[in-house]
């Protein structure tokens, strides 16, 4: 609540905390003007995670509180608001290069398909593990195959170290798969390669890259 309530207040233009405090003190909701909530923008919150300050720490999230702050991206569309949130958190989405895709079978559906089609349409080269590359080909797109970490050299870690990857879509399941991708996450962190670990996050990033235009406008919170 200490973080979400201020975010909602800024996004909607309503002093949510002040209203809640007065309601708790006995005032009825009818005493407040709750109309006029901003409907001209999307607001996206992104956590700022200081993993780079702690060498050896895995970037996977758990129940612990790990973020040191957060940023808000606001704009007329979700994709542009998401783009601003990424920028504010220090993630620089590329406009060209190679996108590495390795996804679990359950994510090989419409959401991930849209993400892959969007980045391919933007001119990115697709690099994928064997199973994912086969799936991409069934969609009518081409993908270069790369070995997983345990499948022999050269593998995806070698390509990352050679700075041959600029964007990563990687969803995993199971303890072994998570452990196998640990080095990928570590290199992506220190090389500042945007890394998305869910189908929804991958699609949001792809849409943001597609919708990126010159001259992003600043939305004032006080307006």
């Amino acid at each position: 609540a200490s973080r979400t309530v201020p975010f909602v207040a800024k996004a909607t233009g309503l002093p949510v905390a002040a209203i809640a405090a007065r309601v708790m003190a006995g005032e009825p909701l009818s005493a407040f003007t709750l109309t006029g909530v901003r409907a001209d923008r999307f607001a996206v919150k992104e956590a700022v995670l200081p993993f780079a300050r702690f060498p050896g720490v895995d970037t996977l999230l758990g129940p612990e509180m790990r973020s040191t702050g957060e940023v808000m991206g606001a704009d007329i569309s979700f994709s542009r608001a998401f783009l601003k949130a990424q920028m504010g958190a220090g993630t620089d989405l590329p406009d060209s290069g190679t996108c590495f895709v390795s996804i679990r079978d359950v994510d090989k559906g419409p959401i991930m398909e849209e993400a892959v089609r969007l980045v391919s349409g933007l001119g990115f080269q697709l690099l994928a593990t064997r199973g994912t590359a086969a799936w991409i080909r069934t969609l009518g797109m081409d993908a270069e195959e790369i070995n997983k970490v345990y499948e022999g050299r050269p593998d995806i870690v070698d390509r990352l170290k050679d700075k041959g990857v600029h964007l990563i879509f990687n969803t995993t399941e199971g303890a072994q798969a998570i452990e196998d991708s640990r080095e990928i996450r570590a290199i992506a962190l220190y090389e500042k390669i945007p890394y998305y670990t869910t189908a929804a996050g991958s699609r949001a990033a792809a849409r943001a890259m597609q919708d990126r235009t010159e001259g992003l406008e600043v939305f004032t919170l006080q307006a």
Side-chain angles (χ1 to χ4, degrees):
S2 64
R3 294 190 176 200
T4 301
V5 169
F7 178 86
V8 172
K10 293 171 184 175
T12 63
L14 293 176
V16 180
I19 293 172
R22 290 169 62 181
V23 168
M24 291 172 68
E27 288 192 51
L29 276 175
S30 58
F32 303 96
T33 301
L34 301 179
T35 59
V37 175
R38 290 177 183 150
D40 63 339
R41 68 190 65 182
F42 288 79
V44 174
K45 179 168 70 170
E46 180 64 279
V48 176
L49 301 158
F51 289 119
R53 300 180 187 176
F54 303 98
V57 173
D58 198 349
T59 57
L60 281 183
L61 297 179
E64 306 93 344
M65 179 67 178
R66 294 190 177 186
S67 67
T68 55
E70 61 192 28
V71 295
M72 174 192 287
D75 213 301
I76 58 174
S77 70
F78 170 78
S79 57
R80 287 168 66 90
F82 184 87
L83 174 62
K84 286 182 175 180
Q86 298 302 289
M87 293 168 61
T91 298
D92 183 19
L93 288 171
D95 53 20
S96 63
T98 297
C99 177
F100 170 64
V101 187
S102 180
I103 55 177
R104 57 186 184 170
D105 289 341
V106 70
D107 288 326
K108 293 173 182 174
I111 295 177
M112 204 69 214
E113 177 182 343
E114 181 182 346
V116 174
R117 287 193 184 281
L118 286 173
V119 295
S120 178
L122 290 170
F124 281 78
Q125 300 298 312
L126 299 178
L127 178 69
T129 49
R130 187 170 294 107
T132 300
W135 172 72
I136 290 174
R137 293 190 191 102
T138 67
L139 303 175
M141 294 175 283
D142 191 27
E144 177 189 353
E145 286 189 15
I146 189 77
N147 287 332
K148 295 181 180 180
V149 175
Y150 61 86
E151 291 179 334
R153 310 287 291 274
D155 58 29
I156 179 56
V157 171
D158 295 321
R159 184 68 68 89
L160 288 168
K161 289 180 177 178
D162 290 339
K163 301 185 185 302
V165 175
H166 309 90
L167 178 67
I168 298 173
F169 296 157
N170 182 208
T171 70
T172 59
E173 64 180 349
Q176 187 60 52
I178 291 172
E179 181 59 32
D180 290 341
S181 60
R182 182 186 180 103
E183 192 170 1
I184 297 175
R185 292 191 294 274
I187 297 174
L189 171 66
Y190 292 110
E191 294 296 333
K192 297 183 178 180
I193 304 171
Y195 190 138
Y196 296 91
T197 59
T198 66
S202 300
R203 181 175 65 177
R207 286 181 174 180
M209 292 159 61
Q210 181 191 47
D211 203 24
R212 174 167 39 198
T213 58
E214 296 294 332
L216 289 173
E217 296 180 358
V218 175
F219 279 67
T220 61
L221 294 177
Q222 295 77 20

